[in-house]
Amino acid sequence: MTQLATPTQTRAWVTGVREATPLLGGYIPVALSFGLVATQAGFTTWEAAVISTLIYAGASQFLFVGMVAAGSPLWLVVAMTLLINVRHVVYGPNLASWLPTSRHWPWLMHGLTDQVFALALTRLPQLPEPQRFGWFVGASLLAWISWIVGTVVGAIAGEELTARWPLLGEIMPFALPALFLTMVAPRFTDKRWALALSVTITAALFLALTGWNNVAIPLAAACGALCFYMIKFQPARHTP
Amino acid sequence: MSTALWLAVMISALGTLLMRVVPFLWMQRRLDNDTGLNAMPQWLGILGPLMIAAVLGVSIVPVSPSVISWAATAIGLLVTLLVWWRLRSLGWPVAAGVAVYGMVQVGVALGG
């Protein structure tokens, strides 16, 4: 089915942009940092922007420029970059049932990052079907553009910005945990889900604190899934 | 950048795109051909919300971990949760949480 722009879809596009705005609080400081790190690693502003535009995956981009700057063999740089992003494999299938068929998906799926996935998985089921395509386009494009713009600004003026407003870089990223908390909270529907989600959050936090950021998301989710399948609660007894 | 480095960027970009798009299209085709939502494996439906919880866990760690930033994080998350409990929306809880987190950080910076 080819998507045509209708008033409903235009509004959906705007809704997507509006609802993805909190993501910018997390995206922009990280993109600024990436731009700064990339130029310090010897890449030009234009090259940093191209990397952000084409690869568009935070952790793997930092690893990419870091390994290149350290002189690692390029095959290893590519292998590690792809290995970090392998978690993205489960995002698409989770959204497939909520999104209409369209010939545009091969390029639109480029926007499916951790954050856009989390937002989409929460919001798409709540939207009427005709609005979902437009919503995804608006939300993912805003996130992508902010990432590229943030990279360019970081590459050009990152050092000066962070020196002038150091607290800005501390406060803005809090939009991400706050947003994810509002997405996870409604899923505490019963004891089984509450335990699995708590185990996942705790495991991810622990792994991130111990320096295992790159594997924290898939490993913590696997811990939570294991917990979900292994621990089953007795159904509550109802007295007549 | 050298030609080899450009090639590395292109392969990384293409590989990442394929990891995003191929499983999505595979599942959409499966949903079209089979029995709707029943075509989705149960483990996939469970893993989705758990991935979001994992992203939450990772993002909780403050940019510069310290007693103050951890306290600000705890207070900010509590306020976010309370506002969400009251309004059941996405925008206002996030705005309230960031505002309180920022106030704690700025308050400490001004006080210290």
Side-chain angles (χ1 to χ4, degrees):
Chain A
M1 182 176 71
T2 304
Q3 300 295 319
L4 299 171
T6 63
T8 306
Q9 286 190 356
T10 308
R11 278 198 300 275
W13 191 87
V14 175
T15 308
V17 168
R18 196 183 64 235
E19 292 182 351
T21 305
L23 294 181
L24 304 193
Y27 267 47
I28 290 173
V30 183
L32 287 171
S33 312
F34 175 73
L36 183 62
V37 168
T39 48
Q40 284 172 347
F43 291 83
T44 65
T45 301
W46 188 71
E47 288 164 350
V50 170
I51 292 171
S52 275
T53 307
L54 297 180
I55 299 181
Y56 186 37
S60 65
Q61 285 183 216
F62 279 98
L63 187 80
F64 188 95
V65 297
M67 285 182 79
V68 168
S72 306
L74 286 180
W75 67 266
L76 188 62
V77 175
V78 172
M80 290 306 294
T81 304
L82 294 177
L83 195 65
I84 288 180
N85 291 338
V86 92
R87 67 185 184 280
H88 293 185
V89 165
V90 296
Y91 293 165
N94 259 289
L95 297 182
S97 60
W98 301 110
L99 289 167
T101 310
S102 165
R103 63 188 166 86
H104 299 298
W105 289 126
W107 61 272
L108 279 176
M109 276 294 119
H110 179 57
L112 194 60
T113 60
D114 297 324
Q115 293 80 3
V116 171
F117 163 71
L119 188 63
L121 191 65
T122 306
R123 283 296 287 134
L124 287 175
Q126 299 164 355
L127 293 170
E129 203 169 334
Q131 293 186 14
R132 290 176 190 160
F133 182 86
W135 183 93
F136 187 88
V137 172
S140 56
L141 274 182
L142 177 74
W144 188 44
I145 290 166
S146 73
W147 182 253
I148 298 166
V149 172
T151 299
V152 172
V153 175
I156 295 169
E159 218 151 359
E160 195 182 333
L161 278 175
T162 47
R164 188 171 294 183
W165 295 296
L167 270 179
L168 204 63
E170 304 259 345
I171 295 167
M172 280 170 67
F174 187 75
L176 282 189
L179 180 67
F180 294 132
L181 182 62
T182 61
M183 293 175 185
V184 170
R187 296 182 189 272
F188 279 76
T189 47
D190 57 37
K191 282 183 190 170
R192 198 180 179 194
W193 268 109
L195 185 66
L197 289 166
S198 303
V199 164
T200 305
I201 295 166
T202 310
L205 184 58
F206 175 77
L207 287 165
L209 283 172
T210 48
W212 291 82
N213 290 51
N214 294 336
V215 291
I217 294 172
L219 214 56
C223 288
L226 202 65
C227 176
F228 185 88
Y229 279 111
M230 291 186 72
I231 301 171
K232 289 173 184 165
F233 292 93
Q234 294 291 327
R237 285 183 186 168
H238 298 285
T239 48
Chain B
M1 283 199 294
S2 65
T3 308
L5 201 48
W6 274 116
L7 201 62
V9 170
M10 297 311 286
I11 295 171
S12 301
L14 189 65
T16 304
L17 176 64
L18 288 176
M19 280 192 277
R20 287 167 175 163
V21 75
V22 171
F24 172 80
L25 294 178
W26 169 78
M27 180 56 78
Q28 266 207 334
R29 192 157 298 174
R30 204 176 149 179
L31 290 167
D32 285 345
N33 294 342
D34 291 346
T35 50
L37 277 174
N38 291 334
M40 192 161 123
Q42 192 206 21
W43 63 267
L44 207 54
I46 290 164
L47 208 55
L50 294 177
M51 291 288 244
I52 302 177
V55 178
L56 167 64
V58 171
S59 65
I60 284 175
V61 181
V63 178
S64 310
S66 66
V67 177
I68 303 301
S69 60
W70 277 112
T73 300
I75 296 167
L77 289 177
L78 185 66
V79 169
T80 305
L81 197 61
L82 288 173
V83 178
W84 171 81
W85 191 262
R86 181 102 180 131
L87 301 177
R88 305 278 168 159
S89 66
L90 280 179
W92 287 111
V94 175
V98 173
V100 170
Y101 180 88
M103 279 194 287
V104 174
Q105 291 273 23
V106 172
V108 170
L110 291 174

